[in-house]
Amino acid sequence: MGKTRTMTLQHASPQRHTRRVLCVVTCLFAIYACAALYYSTLEPDALRLGAVGLCALLCASTLRIRHTLHRLGALCGLCACFAIWLYTDRPSNNREWAGEYAILADAIQDGRIVHVRNIRDFTYRTETDYTPHYYNADFDLDHLASIDLITSYWAGDSIAHVFLSFGFDDGRHLAVSIETRRQKKFSYSTIAGFFHHYELTYVTADERDLIGVRTDIRKERVYLYRLDLSAQTREAVFKNYLTQIHQLTVQPRWYNTLMDNCTTEILARANARTRYRLDWRVLLSGYTASLAYDLGLLNTEYDFATLRRLSRIIRPENATPDANYSNKIREHLPLALANK
């Protein structure tokens, strides 16, 4: 009798362990799936919120199933349905966008000449009060002279927005920032960026707009570093950017805070090795310039702390971006050593 009871308990123990594991997995799935549905672009809102409620109800029902194999089957079914929805939930260029993302840039290469359309050049009075303006411009690849790395901080030192500006020997600069393409009805949310909530966009703009709004309007801490690259590498990076700018006009992509963000996209366009893309300073984007320094891509005449201090853009109180903005912000900055 005692032996039979012992065998029964031994048999029941693995089952209880399996049920606990399934319970934890179901709860984690419920949290992720409900969040994905809540931050999705499903319309109308009643449908989106209804989908969240249905998902939560089905997950709760799964937890009530006592038979282990039946519970596992129900969970697999939920996961399969969610995966199908996630795969078929496609990004779009046809939404009611926030004003600063309303018009996509486009870029077409014709031999050594690049035609860039819809370069943003807004005049800002406040962050939300601006006069929209776009222009077209042609750039000669033979006159691409520099690439600058810009990091902009709005809080601490760990997180920054990172983007590039391409300089030409006639004094023009084309800034390109990889951002969330936000709908008008949504405010920005870091959490939402982990799900299918924002499309990814390459904001292609005049420096007076893209850098100026950060230095003069938002009063962020902005740093500009000259990347020390060969002419061949500069051109390759620029052309990769141009390809992606055009590609997004016909094939939109989802933004992802972890995998497809401003920093990982820069590394992808630069064809960086995988180990660099996995560096912790990519996730904590405020330290991206430190990574570039360690890779020998910045001015190594100074130690990094000194270079960082010297590379901050300092603007007079109540300054506004004007036609000479690009020259003014570089007047006191240490640029790269002689290009390789």
Side-chain angles (χ1 to χ4, degrees):
M1 183 72 175
K3 184 177 180 180
T4 301
R5 183 181 179 186
T6 300
M7 292 177 64
T8 302
L9 291 173
Q10 289 176 343
H11 178 70
S13 180
Q15 286 188 337
R16 285 198 297 268
H17 177 71
T18 301
R19 284 197 294 270
R20 291 193 188 101
V21 171
L22 285 176
C23 181
V24 172
V25 172
T26 302
C27 290
L28 292 175
F29 168 78
I31 293 171
Y32 181 83
C34 287
L37 289 165
Y38 178 79
Y39 286 112
S40 72
T41 57
L42 286 172
E43 292 181 327
D45 286 344
L47 174 62
R48 179 172 58 85
L49 296 176
V52 174
L54 178 61
C55 180
L57 179 62
L58 291 174
C59 289
S61 299
T62 299
L63 290 173
R64 296 192 188 99
I65 299 175
R66 298 187 61 83
H67 193 282
T68 303
L69 288 179
H70 291 171
R71 180 184 291 187
L72 177 61
L75 178 59
C76 289
L78 287 176
C79 290
C81 291
F82 177 75
I84 292 171
W85 168 77
L86 196 67
Y87 179 77
T88 56
D89 183 34
R90 309 308 299 171
S92 173
N93 282 332
N94 300 315
R95 305 191 195 278
E96 190 174 357
W97 304 107
E100 60 267 41
Y101 306 116
I103 299 178
L104 286 177
D106 197 5
I108 302 296
Q109 184 176 344
D110 181 13
R112 301 295 292 170
I113 303 300
V114 175
H115 309 285
V116 183
R117 300 293 176 259
N118 301 323
I119 299 171
R120 201 179 75 185
D121 186 21
F122 286 13
T123 300
Y124 294 88
R125 289 170 290 276
T126 69
E127 187 174 353
T128 57
D129 180 17
Y130 50 77
T131 301
H133 178 251
Y134 296 87
Y135 66 91
N136 303 329
D138 295 339
F139 299 92
D140 190 332
L141 291 174
D142 291 329
H143 294 278
L144 177 63
S146 64
I147 301 180
D148 293 325
L149 175 72
I150 295 91
T151 59
S152 184
Y153 300 78
W154 58 91
D157 289 331
S158 297
I159 301 298
H161 183 57
V162 183
F163 59 97
L164 301 183
S165 183
F166 299 89
F168 295 81
D169 58 16
D170 61 1
R172 292 185 299 165
H173 294 83
L174 182 68
V176 185
S177 173
I178 301 164
E179 302 182 13
T180 60
R181 194 180 188 194
R182 182 172 54 82
Q183 294 185 58
K184 182 181 293 186
K185 65 180 181 179
F186 293 137
S187 58
Y188 178 76
S189 166
T190 301
I191 296 176
F194 285 97
F195 307 101
H196 288 182
H197 186 76
Y198 303 117
E199 276 78 4
L200 182 145
T201 186
Y202 280 52
V203 177
T204 306
D206 195 288
E207 287 190 336
R208 289 173 297 184
D209 176 326
L210 204 52
I211 303 178
V213 71
R214 290 171 166 82
T215 59
D216 295 1
I217 306 301
R218 299 178 188 170
K219 305 296 183 182
E220 297 178 1
R221 290 183 293 119
V222 183
Y223 299 80
L224 187 151
Y225 306 90
R226 175 65 48 84
L227 292 174
D228 197 7
L229 303 171
S230 67
Q232 182 180 8
T233 301
R234 286 198 303 270
E235 181 174 323
V237 173
F238 187 50
K239 288 166 70 174
N240 283 344
Y241 263 68
L242 298 172
T243 298
Q244 191 59 213
I245 289 168
H246 177 69
Q247 187 68 21
L248 287 175
T249 65
V250 295
Q251 187 177 346
R253 290 170 52 197
W254 291 115
Y255 177 93
N256 185 274
T257 299
L258 185 62
M259 302 302 297
D260 295 292
N261 56 49
C262 64
T263 313
T264 60
E265 277 292 299
I266 290 175
L267 293 173
R269 301 286 75 77
N271 294 321
R273 296 178 182 177
T274 301
R275 70 173 183 269
Y276 300 143
R277 301 187 202 185
L278 298 177
D279 192 287
W280 64 271
R281 288 168 290 188
V282 172
L283 180 60
L284 297 179
S285 54
Y287 303 103
T288 300
S290 171
L291 172 61
Y293 182 87
D294 289 347
L295 295 176
L297 299 177
L298 303 184
N299 188 333
T300 54
E301 180 182 1
Y302 308 93
D303 61 83
F304 180 71
T306 302
L307 179 65
R308 185 174 188 270
R309 177 175 56 81
L310 296 175
S311 297
R312 182 173 178 180
I313 297 175
I314 305 297
R315 295 284 286 164
E317 192 68 27
N318 299 321
T320 56
D322 57 21
N324 201 32
Y325 177 81
S326 292
N327 290 330
K328 287 180 178 178
I329 63 174
R330 289 174 171 81
E331 285 177 348
H332 70 285
L333 300 180
L335 301 182
L337 301 175
N339 289 325
K340 300 170 184 177

